Amino acid sequence: MIFDPETDKPQEECGVFGMYTPTPLDLAWLTYLGMFALQHRGQEAAGMCVSDGERFHVEKDLGLVTQVFDERRLDSVRLANARVSIGHVRYSTTGSNLRFNAQPLTTRTNKGILGLAHNGNFVNAREVRGEMLLEGALFQTTNDSEVMLNLIAREADLDLIEATAAAMKRLKGGFACVMMSRTALLGFRDPNGVRPLVIGQRDGVDGEVGAYVLASEPCALYAVGARLVRDVLPGELVWIDRSGLHSLMVQPKVPTPCAFEWIYFARSDSQLDGIDTHESRIRMGEQLAREFPVDADIVVPVPDSGMGAAIGYARESGIPFDYGLYKNPYAGRTFIAPTQEARELKVKMKLSPTSAVRGKRVVLIDDSIVRGTTSRQIVNLLREAGATEVHFRVSSPAIKHPCFYGIDTAARKELVASTHTQEEIRELIGADTLSFISERGLREAVGGPGLCLACFNGEYPAGTPLLNDVDKLALEV
Amino acid sequence: MIFDPETDKPQEECGVFGMYTPTPLDLAWLTYLGMFALQHRGQEAAGMCVSDGERFHVEKDLGLVTQVFDERRLDSVRLANARVSIGHVRYSTTGSNLRFNAQPLTTRTNKGILGLAHNGNFVNAREVRGEMLLEGALFQTTNDSEVMLNLIAREADLDLIEATAAAMKRLKGGFACVMMSRTALLGFRDPNGVRPLVIGQRDGVDGEVGAYVLASEPCALYAVGARLVRDVLPGELVWIDRSGLHSLMVQPKVPTPCAFEWIYFARSDSQLDGIDTHESRIRMGEQLAREFPVDADIVVPVPDSGMGAAIGYARESGIPFDYGLYKNPYAGRTFIAPTQEARELKVKMKLSPTSAVRGKRVVLIDDSIVRGTTSRQIVNLLREAGATEVHFRVSSPAIKHPCFYGIDTAARKELVASTHTQEEIRELIGADTLSFISERGLREAVGGPGLCLACFNGEYPAGTPLLNDVDKLALEV
Amino acid sequence: MIFDPETDKPQEECGVFGMYTPTPLDLAWLTYLGMFALQHRGQEAAGMCVSDGERFHVEKDLGLVTQVFDERRLDSVRLANARVSIGHVRYSTTGSNLRFNAQPLTTRTNKGILGLAHNGNFVNAREVRGEMLLEGALFQTTNDSEVMLNLIAREADLDLIEATAAAMKRLKGGFACVMMSRTALLGFRDPNGVRPLVIGQRDGVDGEVGAYVLASEPCALYAVGARLVRDVLPGELVWIDRSGLHSLMVQPKVPTPCAFEWIYFARSDSQLDGIDTHESRIRMGEQLAREFPVDADIVVPVPDSGMGAAIGYARESGIPFDYGLYKNPYAGRTFIAPTQEARELKVKMKLSPTSAVRGKRVVLIDDSIVRGTTSRQIVNLLREAGATEVHFRVSSPAIKHPCFYGIDTAARKELVASTHTQEEIRELIGADTLSFISERGLREAVGGPGLCLACFNGEYPAGTPLLNDVDKLALEV
Amino acid sequence: MIFDPETDKPQEECGVFGMYTPTPLDLAWLTYLGMFALQHRGQEAAGMCVSDGERFHVEKDLGLVTQVFDERRLDSVRLANARVSIGHVRYSTTGSNLRFNAQPLTTRTNKGILGLAHNGNFVNAREVRGEMLLEGALFQTTNDSEVMLNLIAREADLDLIEATAAAMKRLKGGFACVMMSRTALLGFRDPNGVRPLVIGQRDGVDGEVGAYVLASEPCALYAVGARLVRDVLPGELVWIDRSGLHSLMVQPKVPTPCAFEWIYFARSDSQLDGIDTHESRIRMGEQLAREFPVDADIVVPVPDSGMGAAIGYARESGIPFDYGLYKNPYAGRTFIAPTQEARELKVKMKLSPTSAVRGKRVVLIDDSIVRGTTSRQIVNLLREAGATEVHFRVSSPAIKHPCFYGIDTAARKELVASTHTQEEIRELIGADTLSFISERGLREAVGGPGLCLACFNGEYPAGTPLLNDVDKLALEV
């Protein structure tokens, strides 16, 4: 996992978006709106492609959607008769070559020009890349999309759909991709459906078929005036062209979508695989209250992500909900390295307790604990503000294992729960009590068929990378 | 008032901050932290001065605190032995000369170099400016601080404190200022205390006296590790120098602090004139529930500012609180002018309903209605998401009059409540019912001695500008 | 003097420009062209004001004319019915408050809004500033223009012309200023005419009077399609308004224009005080050849400023002119601090010898030597490239004294000729012979009535600053 | 050809640079210096790679060398033990995807990571690209370097040198390339040597072998303290690694270097294929004077590129050389679109006549005429300034054919000499007489074995592109 040093939260890597319209629309603007709605899934790079069937424009850079796409740069991808577009937001890894890795990746191939944007991770990407290098392929980025595109281009005798299906079969892991040619939009999801992808549609005008939309979350459909049609199914390849929406089930397996989408990643106005995020978060809070009740005066969420679970905990426990932590809406942007003392003041730039906690026994609701550093500071803030007790309740189980499915691998040693007992963590963060929701409780709160809980229990439904796959050929530039 | 076109809310003009330390501190960094905590009071310009008793550095520009003060520019005002500093955040008016009006204003005078930053408005500034122009003064900005500084410099025979007191007496309106020379920090508040200003102090190290802090709100004190000592009193001039904290009551009148600080402006972790903002907002919600009860299923705040009142309404009414509107945390930044259809999608970039409102009778809590345009869109969003009834409750009375005290004058005709009946407004915004808290109810919810309610009832405690004061000499550049 | 570390040349401080048009013109664009033609007189800041009689727009910033005035910012000062404008380019001093000192300076006064831009230096500015501070004036910049404007505003009972004349009488030094109100353009030159200022006029259309132009050099007149009318006379105040061009001789003295305008500053397509720069440079070269002949193979200019004198030297001596030093046209922009070795490579980034010098006895012509560091490197370059002898000929006398007239005061100890004999300098720079043109020779080459030769002979025609004028009140921010 | 709209000159496309050092050097800084010396060969993009044998850093962007490589970005490619580097400057084509086409191109291959930068053009690139697309290759740019790298990678069984030699054989046209792996620097030149490439070496320290340098021109060798060793030969592949400098003659043909390098492109301090540019330009001027003598008063160069030929013309004819056109050194940067009248003032922003031409019969020397528009304006400027006759002499023959060797193809109809007789051109530009140097005269002036004169006579020594090579697969993104 990439840990955002500001939030100490697991970090979703990317969000994807795509549109196909049978009648001309301002796809540059609509794709901008869709990407903006997915901004929470990646804040460090943004990009889009637009085509009108002939021209194929691309623009991408480091920055927020509103930074990359100022008026000038949005205009540079505008096409009067735009028909297909894809967009991407990315939470980048550190390094000097960030800019060259921004998505969508575009390339000419024997299937014409293609643009590809992905969310997730191919666990066998390095192995496949090594194989293709030996065959004469070039790899200009460290971006997994390039592996997918090479696999597609290698199938010179197949058409685009057949070649994409063949490439899907060759790759393992958790991934959701959107791809476009000049005349078609494609989308596909890994066999287990670990990463999400949904299909939406706008109402058609004058009897015309309305534009189709693909997106990581339904909130991006609503943002462009579309309604949710359905989720892309695990292992399914869908494509939209002049003749409509097509589907091919390439290799479906038992669905195990990522539990963290409901715990934290997805927006509270999204529904994934038929399950509403806000409602599931309220159920997580209710479940926590049943599993770990406590005698207290108020229930306080860590804003903004603990909100739903805090409402649920308050409802089930009967303890009043209150707004005990103010979050500075201007925080979250980079600022300069502080001095020694200033480092201690830093958490206060983001969070500040209100009078609600003074003299109160507080149930503090957060969605997860990764390293525990921010948790310790929050507990401390509450105590300084006069909270007499702090009972920490977490709406996810303890994170003990790295994720290989779309959230880059972090060192296990950084996960506080993989090296400390629950009691040690409680002591570390200074809470009076500490409880994590149970795996069973989480499953019930989310509901639905299955979940990927690999980061909690180490059971990886979609395989893991080979340990010796880091060969010389695949070294990072 | 300046209406933020994004929020349709009244907009505080500025926040001020100042520090004096008897022992060297990194005042550039601390002032940065203090200004960051006041960012909600002004987002379009930021500036600070720092002195070590000899050098006097200033840096200011358009932008957020974190944008203006990147590492390089913060370093440019850093001094190893810094003793005094002031900072300012500003919500600017439109126009081509914004940059030249950023604060603090610095100038050499017969009292030495002075830096001044103000929040508020001198209602007789144009009159005084015209008078001084005739005497040979230059006015290089349209910034009221320049009037204050000219008044101080004109008193050539008085020392800095006496001259400042004399200037305070000459000016009318609602204002709170911080000022610094090379060796002292000054702060003063208008006779009615319309605009807020508080005093804080850090703990001293090794028996030394701790640094003093002045700020528009206590949250900025906490941000730099200081505790709240007291409010600067209406009509009081305070100054801090080598010998400590001094006070002079220049012209105290009946205190009438601005009610909007508690309704909306001040952060929910601030206390002003002895009254906690979060608690007063909860009381406003409770009062609203008593004054305008309704049979409904959930209470939903317009995020983030309706939060406190919604909690209060829910508590008093027994109707469950829920998180029915998701606010995109990346909204609020400028983005490009949309197409016709896109304009309708625009409010969705910021707010999006969650599943909580589906099939529910919703009590929607907001803090104010200015033009009503955003209110209508929010009601519409809730109905589209399946809300069966929307009962709009506002935690401020209807705004019918312009403000002259620190929040620039807007045309009365833009205030929907000055041209429409309450029933007309209800119809305009499409709510099932609409109620504003009563003036009496607001007074009780805030508590305390008196309040400026001029924008609600047209009674201006600190005077109004002359109607004919816009003469040729004072024309804007 | 400010020494440009790149060129080791004396550096002109500023260029000024102004226009008044009886019929509407795109003054923003024309002023941009005029400033661009004066870019050689100041490369670090640029600014302009434009008025249509009512509105009064100003824009200025650090940077080259083309950097400050991109399309957006030029549009911000455009006015459909523009009548008056002034512009300024500046070579700034170092310091942290550069931005706040950019010109033109604009201010409201009892004569209406005024904009002022100056080239040159008031030697008694600090004395006058101190006096006015005691009377209650504010000084927000360290810019001498502010002193002039305060003097004008102080004369509350006089009209703008009378007050300006009064201010001119109060100030000493070498200066040339342009000033504008909403309806008039003013220009004035110091009593000795040390700094240049010329008057031009465009042809009128349809019987209308053509627009008037003021500028530091005629090249800026030509740039806007105007022809040279005449020089503003030493001590003269001119103004142009609806009724035409007016003149007032305020305090003429014996003219002593700055000799360096002809030696180096002014463009070779300019004529000042009736004397053509290119022709005078050729005469300087001819004079040098007569005064200091040498047996050699080629005459090589240090590009670009030694060009004219080299042509003259070649003509008079009969030795062939050749292009022996290539100048990289991309040099002159700032670049990063080099390593130790790289510092030695640095001069090569700018100048590089051609094959012309190989095996040749070279007469090298430069216009001046300040510290001698660059001269030494150039001589060295020529020797490395195979020059067998290098005879250095300088078209100005040795600089031994600081300038107080528009070229900031540098420490005398930095002037190599004030601390070394001519033979020591020759040895320092490694030339075989070294000669400076004689003062008499320079006078003859330029011709005309008189010249300020203060930096050569220490005779200051327009006075010098008081030695003790740096009092506390006037300390730099 | 790409015509620079500012200069109306043929435009060299690129400059390349590379270094290999056996002992650590600050290659980032040295490569920066080398690229800076080649800035005249391409002003719109710059990039470099540096490796220390393990790490492989790349940085590139649109802009001048000093703009792309500010301190921060130069640091990002700095390596303490740097051994190999390449750099590139480019004059880009117009289009929306400029940024993605900047060089060097870097990619992982079965030979390890490679970086490649080229100057010139492969005339059969599209044909080869189409062939490889069918085999499964991806093309992410429209950059010819990508074709070269794919050809190299395709030879999976050959080592890097063999594979590069094989790729050289497959490609036709005029090109000069530098390439690097982590441990070696390669350089190669097309079979006819149309585009230049030279080898240099620094002196070794302490008995060590000095660093090797490859560059488009010797001036870049001098810029990094190296001396010229020799030219890379037409059709030669050289590489430098731990064991020294190696050479392989891959496919030498009759040398026909591009004549324009001597006429205009190369700096006047460069020597290519043994011939000095400055000297050859003087000989061109002398030749012109012999071929087309005229009775006149002065010889004036169009600065700066007509300088050498003007000196030659003056020497041979005995007519005095003079500096009749001042060139504003700040011109050449982009500026905003002018109004109608302003367009006519535009040429004056760049060039302005001096008094030298007044009343004179002028021989005006320029290096080439492409469209003739600027030529007409210059002649007009001279006449306005009082020139009584203008005799235009051009040191290249008339350009009648497009170039396919490194200077992109322009439409033939834009070449004034391909659609007009010499007399028509004379009339068009308004000169009294007009003469172009003869092809024979140019050959004699340059000397040496052979020259590519294709743009004058249509004889293409290195082939031309297929007319039908613009297939769908190779369409520009």
Side-chain angles (χ1 to χ4, degrees), chain D residues 11-62:
Chain D
Q11 176 60 49
E12 179 67 52
E13 243 193 343
C14 301
V16 298
F17 183 86
M19 285 191 79
Y20 179 92
T21 178
T23 49
L25 284 173
D26 183 357
L27 289 191
W29 169 254
L30 291 168
T31 302
Y32 170 87
L33 289 179
M35 291 158 69
F36 186 79
L38 298 172
Q39 184 76 81
H40 62 292
R41 297 182 75 89
Q43 294 88 45
E44 300 203 358
M48 78 166 83
C49 304
V50 183
S51 180
D52 60 2
E54 302 216 340
R55 281 170 298 179
F56 195 105
H57 287 181
V58 58
E59 190 66 82
K60 54 185 174 178
D61 211 341
L62 298 184

Side-chain angles (χ1 to χ4, degrees), chain A residues 181-259:
Chain A
S181 68
R182 283 192 178 86
T183 53
L185 172 67
L186 291 80
F188 48 92
R189 204 173 164 199
D190 67 81
N192 300 90
V194 173
R195 302 260 64 89
L197 192 64
V198 299
I199 308 174
Q201 191 173 18
R202 286 163 59 105
D203 289 334
V205 181
D206 299 332
E208 292 281 347
V209 175
Y212 280 96
V213 190
L214 299 176
S216 292
E217 293 183 37
C219 61
L221 307 180
Y222 310 147
V224 299
R227 64 196 154 67
L228 175 61
V229 173
R230 66 170 176 90
D231 294 76
V232 173
L233 298 176
E236 186 185 19
L237 165 63
V238 299
W239 65 102
I240 303 120
D241 58 18
R242 223 168 29 168
S243 56
L245 170 68
H246 311 256
S247 166
L248 180 66
M249 291 305 296
V250 177
Q251 47 169 3
K253 293 190 183 167
V254 178
T256 55
C258 169

Side-chain angles (χ1 to χ4, degrees), chain D residues 395-415:
Chain D
S395 61
S396 65
I399 303 173
K400 298 179 177 172
H401 304 271
C403 173
F404 299 116
Y405 305 145
I407 323 178
D408 263 357
T409 311
R412 179 182 297 212
K413 63 184 178 194
E414 286 191 86
L415 301 168

Side-chain angles (χ1 to χ4, degrees), chain D residues 347-408:
Chain D
V347 70
K348 295 188 181 176
M349 292 184 72
K350 186 162 193 178
L351 291 173
S352 179
T354 71
S355 62
V357 304
R358 197 179 312 132
K360 299 287 172 51
R361 294 170 300 167
V362 175
V363 182
L364 183 67
I365 309 288
D366 203 354
D367 50 74
S368 57
I369 291 179
V370 178
R371 290 175 303 179
T373 46
T374 298
S375 309
R376 185 177 58 233
Q377 292 170 315
I378 294 172
V379 171
N380 196 40
L381 276 183
L382 293 182
R383 292 210 193 273
E384 282 179 5
T388 57
E389 295 175 15
V390 179
H391 301 279
F392 211 117
R393 295 293 176 272
V394 186
S395 61
S396 65
I399 303 173
K400 298 179 177 172
H401 304 271
C403 173
F404 299 116
Y405 305 145
I407 323 178
D408 263 357

Side-chain angles (χ1 to χ4, degrees), chain D residues 234-274:
Chain D
E236 186 186 19
L237 166 63
V238 299
W239 67 101
I240 305 120
D241 59 17
R242 224 167 28 169
S243 56
L245 171 67
H246 312 257
S247 166
L248 180 66
M249 292 305 296
V250 177
Q251 46 170 1
K253 295 191 182 167
V254 177
T256 56
C258 169
F260 250 107
E261 294 286 348
W262 288 278
I263 296 169
Y264 168 70
F265 291 156
R267 275 173 45 163
S268 55
D269 58 339
S270 282
Q271 304 78 39
L272 295 174
D273 292 309

Side-chain angles (χ1 to χ4, degrees), chain B residues 271-284:
Chain B
Q271 303 79 38
L272 296 174
D273 291 310
I275 302 162
D276 186 82
T277 49
H278 180 59
E279 288 170 8
S280 68
R281 282 163 196 172
I282 286 183
R283 287 195 299 267
M284 289 174 209

Side-chain angles (χ1 to χ4, degrees), chain C residues 29 64 269 276 333 342 352 355, chain D residues 29 64 269 276 333 342 352 355:
Chain C
W29 170 254
L64 294 170
D269 58 340
D276 187 83
R333 291 156 187 180
S352 179
S355 62
Chain D
W29 169 254
L64 293 170
D269 58 339
D276 187 83
R333 292 157 186 178
S352 179
S355 62

Side-chain angles (χ1 to χ4, degrees), chain C residues 29 32 43 64 71 74 202 267 269 276 278 315 322 326 330 333 335-336 341-342 349 352 355, chain D residues 29 32-33 43 64 71 74 202 267 269 276 278 315 322 326 330 333 335-336 341-342 352 355:
Chain C
W29 170 254
Y32 170 88
Q43 294 87 46
L64 294 170
E71 210 151 338
L74 193 55
R202 285 163 59 105
R267 274 173 45 164
D269 58 340
D276 187 83
H278 180 59
R315 284 189 193 168
D322 210 338
Y326 173 85
Y330 303 97
R333 291 156 187 180
F335 44 87
I336 59 173
E341 185 213 351
M349 290 183 73
S352 179
S355 62
Chain D
W29 169 254
Y32 170 87
L33 289 179
Q43 294 88 45
L64 293 170
E71 210 149 340
L74 194 56
R202 286 162 59 104
R267 275 173 45 163
D269 58 339
D276 187 83
H278 180 61
R315 284 191 193 167
D322 210 338
Y326 173 85
Y330 302 98
R333 292 157 186 178
F335 44 87
I336 59 171
E341 185 213 350
S352 179
S355 62

